[in-house]
Amino acid sequence: MSQHDSESEVTCTLTEEQEAKGREEIRARLVEHYLGSEDHESGVVVRFDGTDTSLEALAEFTASELQCCSFAAYEITVSPPFEETRLTVSGPDGTTELFRNGLVDRLEVASA
């Protein structure tokens, strides 16, 4: 699992106000690019279209997440034929559930 200690506490450090603002940011910047997600061994893979706009939004989102969820590892992948951009989030037990509830479910609801 790379550099993250399996004993790290899996918790988001955002306040309710910051979380509400983040929810709006997710909706505004990422939802129109969202393609789907799947769980993986120690986290979640979230798929977006392969546009420059989605890559920029995803990079900004990830930089923000580093501040509140430093227990997780983030990997943005863009590969030929550049039709998709993937965000893989992994970490200790509980990471999948936290990001499924906090990110994926919000994207699912907003894109419906």
Side-chain angles (χ1 to χ4, degrees), residues 31-47:
V31 71
E32 66 187 79
H33 304 286
Y34 177 69
L35 299 176
S37 70
E38 60 262 357
D39 292 349
H40 81 91
E41 60 203 50
S42 60
V44 64
V45 177
V46 189
R47 298 178 296 110

Side-chain angles (χ1 to χ4, degrees), residues 1-106:
M1 186 165 46
S2 78
Q3 64 194 356
H4 295 282
D5 182 355
S6 62
E7 299 300 315
S8 296
E9 186 176 349
V10 176
T11 185
C12 181
T13 59
L14 292 177
T15 65
E16 286 184 32
E17 183 179 313
Q18 290 168 322
E19 187 177 356
K21 181 182 176 204
R23 197 172 310 146
E24 290 303 315
E25 180 179 327
I26 291 168
R27 209 173 278 131
R29 301 283 321 272
L30 296 176
V31 71
E32 66 187 79
H33 304 286
Y34 177 69
L35 299 176
S37 70
E38 60 262 357
D39 292 349
H40 81 91
E41 60 203 50
S42 60
V44 64
V45 177
V46 189
R47 298 178 296 110
F48 299 90
D49 63 30
T51 64
D52 290 345
T53 305
S54 66
L55 181 58
E56 287 175 17
L58 197 51
E60 288 178 22
F61 168 78
T62 303
S64 160
E65 286 298 297
L66 290 170
Q67 303 304 309
C68 63
C69 296
S70 61
F71 62 86
Y74 302 87
E75 179 180 341
I76 297 174
T77 308
V78 183
S79 356
F82 307 110
E83 294 172 351
E84 224 176 63
T85 301
R86 292 175 169 246
L87 171 64
T88 303
V89 182
S90 57
D93 288 345
T95 300
T96 302
E97 294 79 14
L98 182 72
F99 280 88
R100 176 145 304 284
N101 296 335
L103 173 61
V104 174
D105 288 353
R106 290 176 184 170

